[in-house]
Amino acid sequence: MPTIEPHDPPPELCAALGDLWAASPIRADLYRAPSFRHVRATCERLFPDSGSASTLDFALARAMRALACPATDPVAGQSPMSAEEAAGRLNAAFRQTEVTRTHLCPLDMADRFPTISFGSARAGQFSKTELADLFQGPAGPRGRTGGLDLERLSALQWLVVHETSPVTSPDLQRRALPELSINFNQDFGRIVPHAQARPQAVDDALLALLLLPWEEHDTHHNPEWRVFRVPWIYTVEDDLFGRLPARPDVDALTEVDFTYDDGLETVTELRPYVIDLAETVEPMAAQLDAAAWSRHQTALSHPAFGPPIAHFFVRAFFGEPIDEFLAHVMTLEASLGTPEDYDAKGRLKFSRSDNPGAKTRVAARITALLDDVRAGRDYETLFELRSQYVHGRIMGDIPSAARLTARKLARRVVAALVDLAQVSREPRDDLLAKLLLAGIGPLRATP
């Protein structure tokens, strides 16, 4: 895991923090306390480009909380670090050139599978000690674990993702008060296509994880194909001046009462609810390794793999049933559809009277991409269900079989595009034109 290495701090910084560490708890205005003002004045001399006095006040107050300064933020039951160690960490923070964020994502209801590592992500089970380190973060005690039931959390499977971004300016405003750097002249009501609801690094890792055929290893053949969920994401960063994250909602995890006899009495305790997976999940999960991650990264830069594909595919995982279904169908359209498919006059005609519509064109491309006519026919059925809902036609319930088909077909198509990206760098339009010509014949020849 990334760590922040304390630099040898200047003696005057050690002295200033020593005074603050030795001070009585500051109950009133922190910014006016002589020992805090001494620290600020020292930092102004040592790091003159760090921003205005008010910015520095705010940033230092946040750093003192992150360092669990006994005078400003005493923590019950926790021995504070020494003033010398705190000075080293503060000195390192001022000189920091990049910030590392660690995103902890509980895989709620996931059965055990072997720990897998890919890119900057790791998925699997973590011990209490490992979780304590992860929740605490590399900056020290800022992500304090007090009150977290680590025994309870260590029973879960996790997705942990690290990402690093550069520190672009010595001015602390962007780090401590990023909201003040917002352009207030922008249109706040605009819609940003494919805007991220989660950190991009998490979505990239989830895309790779969700392309594994988890639903095929569910021992109960549950029509609800998701064998795990991500109810929240807890982010810890190694920046002392950054925002301290709120405590995660552990009660949002799915748990059940488990009763057993310990030989002395009957005991009932909460345990994670788990969707049982077959033993075959182990070799399946092991397929997601460094080589597989490299293939995913290649695909994400391929001209045929546009941002809408990953956006809708991951969105389906987080969506409610109807939104999940629509997102999977939209994944298929984003993968293999074109605006020209809806232009009856401008799209490619096979003859003067042979001008199939958008549904047939995407179905033909699916047929060719997967070499599977049945898959093309499945798409046509899914498209009709989608159209009934979108256009307000009278319709009944969407069968669970159609829901599962949408998930499987979207996964197969996106995975096939990942494979295709390894061997072809053709422009998207050329690639889709070839797939259309290759698939239209087999699709029409099979009822």
Side-chain angles (χ1 to χ4, degrees):
M1 157 172 211
T3 58
I4 294 299
E5 298 294 337
H7 290 69
D8 291 335
E12 57 265 49
L13 184 60
C14 292
L17 282 180
D19 290 345
L20 181 59
W21 249 242
S24 300
I26 300 171
R27 307 296 183 188
D29 186 353
L30 173 65
Y31 298 161
R32 294 180 180 274
S35 55
F36 182 85
R37 290 166 63 90
H38 182 199
V39 171
R40 190 194 73 191
T42 301
C43 291
E44 283 179 320
R45 290 194 301 273
L46 293 172
F47 312 105
D49 297 327
S50 55
S52 65
S54 58
T55 294
L56 194 55
D57 272 343
F58 189 87
L60 286 173
R62 185 170 277 175
M64 294 307 104
R65 183 185 179 196
L67 294 168
C69 172
T72 63
D73 190 38
V75 180
Q78 178 173 308
S79 299
M81 66 177 68
S82 68
E84 290 74 16
E85 183 182 354
R89 291 184 178 275
L90 185 61
N91 184 51
F94 274 105
R95 302 176 187 278
Q96 206 165 331
T97 58
E98 58 183 28
V99 172
T100 297
R101 295 177 181 85
T102 301
H103 309 290
L104 290 89
C105 314
L107 302 181
D108 188 32
M109 299 190 291
D111 199 357
R112 290 191 180 186
F113 57 85
T115 298
I116 52 178
S117 297
F118 51 100
S120 63
R122 180 183 170 198
Q125 197 164 17
F126 293 80
S127 69
K128 288 171 57 178
T129 301
E130 289 175 314
L131 285 176
D133 289 342
L134 287 167
F135 274 96
Q136 178 171 285
R142 70 184 316 277
R144 295 186 289 273
T145 57
L148 280 179
D149 188 344
L150 295 176
E151 184 76 38
R152 183 178 172 188
L153 294 176
S154 66
L156 301 172
Q157 302 290 106
W158 291 83
L159 171 66
V160 177
V161 185
H162 304 291
E163 67 168 334
T164 301
S165 57
V167 174
T168 57
S169 169
D171 192 326
L172 296 183
Q173 179 172 297
R174 289 184 178 275
R175 294 163 67 183
L177 294 163
E179 54 272 17
L180 297 184
S181 300
I182 295 175
N183 175 15
F184 289 96
N185 293 322
Q186 64 181 296
D187 177 6
F188 286 98
R190 73 191 188 282
I191 296 174
V192 180
H194 318 123
Q196 292 296 320
R198 295 157 298 279
Q200 182 65 57
V202 172
D203 271 8
D204 288 347
L206 280 172
L207 173 65
L209 203 60
L210 293 172
L211 281 175
L212 294 175
W214 297 96
E215 66 277 3
E216 295 179 2
H217 301 269
D218 179 358
T219 57
H220 299 294
H221 304 290
N222 191 342
E224 162 54 276
W225 58 272
R226 286 170 285 204
V227 297
F228 57 80
R229 291 180 175 82
V230 178
W232 42 261
I233 299 171
Y234 184 80
T235 299
V236 179
E237 60 183 35
D238 66 2
D239 187 359
L240 290 180
F241 305 122
R243 181 176 285 109
L244 188 67
R247 189 172 302 282
D249 184 8
V250 178
D251 291 332
L253 301 171
T254 307
E255 297 177 310
V256 293
D257 287 331
F258 182 80
T259 302
Y260 63 95
D261 192 330
D262 67 357
L264 298 175
E265 61 181 345
T266 300
V267 179
T268 299
E269 63 184 21
L270 280 176
R271 290 190 180 181
Y273 175 77
V274 171
I275 297 175
D276 294 328
L277 298 177
E279 292 182 0
T280 51
V281 74
E282 295 193 12
M284 183 274 292
Q287 295 173 16
L288 183 50
D289 55 14
W293 178 253
S294 178
R295 290 164 57 83
H296 284 290
Q297 296 303 103
T298 298
L300 289 175
S301 65
H302 192 279
F305 206 101
I309 299 173
H311 173 83
F312 289 120
F313 188 66
V314 175
R315 179 179 175 180
F317 172 73
F318 287 97
E320 294 302 316
I322 186 60
D323 297 319
E324 166 214 314
F325 174 80
L326 292 175
H328 275 143
V329 178
M330 292 171 76
T331 298
L332 296 168
E333 295 185 67
S335 298
L336 297 174
T338 71
E340 291 74 21
D341 289 343
Y342 291 89
D343 181 1
K345 293 183 178 180
R347 65 196 179 198
L348 173 69
K349 300 178 179 65
F350 297 101
S351 71
R352 179 173 294 184
S353 59
D354 188 1
N355 188 13
K359 175 184 69 175
T360 301
R361 290 169 184 265
V362 174
R365 295 183 187 115
I366 290 175
T367 297
L369 180 67
L370 301 181
D371 192 20
D372 183 355
V373 175
R374 183 69 263 163
R377 291 296 181 208
D378 284 343
Y379 171 75
E380 291 180 322
T381 301
L382 297 173
F383 185 85
E384 284 301 315
L385 289 171
R386 165 257 189 212
S387 297
Q388 289 175 23
Y389 179 81
V390 170
H391 299 300
R393 290 183 243 162
I394 297 174
M395 64 178 297
D397 295 341
I398 296 176
S400 59
R403 178 184 186 183
L404 188 57
T405 296
R407 149 65 185 175
K408 287 183 175 180
L409 189 54
R411 174 181 56 75
R412 290 178 64 198
V413 165
V414 177
L417 286 178
V418 170
D419 290 340
L420 191 61
Q422 314 308 309
V423 297
S424 170
R425 300 298 295 182
E426 284 187 274
R428 185 172 188 270
D429 289 346
D430 294 349
L431 184 61
L432 295 188
K434 287 183 178 180
L435 289 173
L436 174 61
L437 293 173
I440 193 68
L443 181 71
R444 285 175 165 173
T446 304

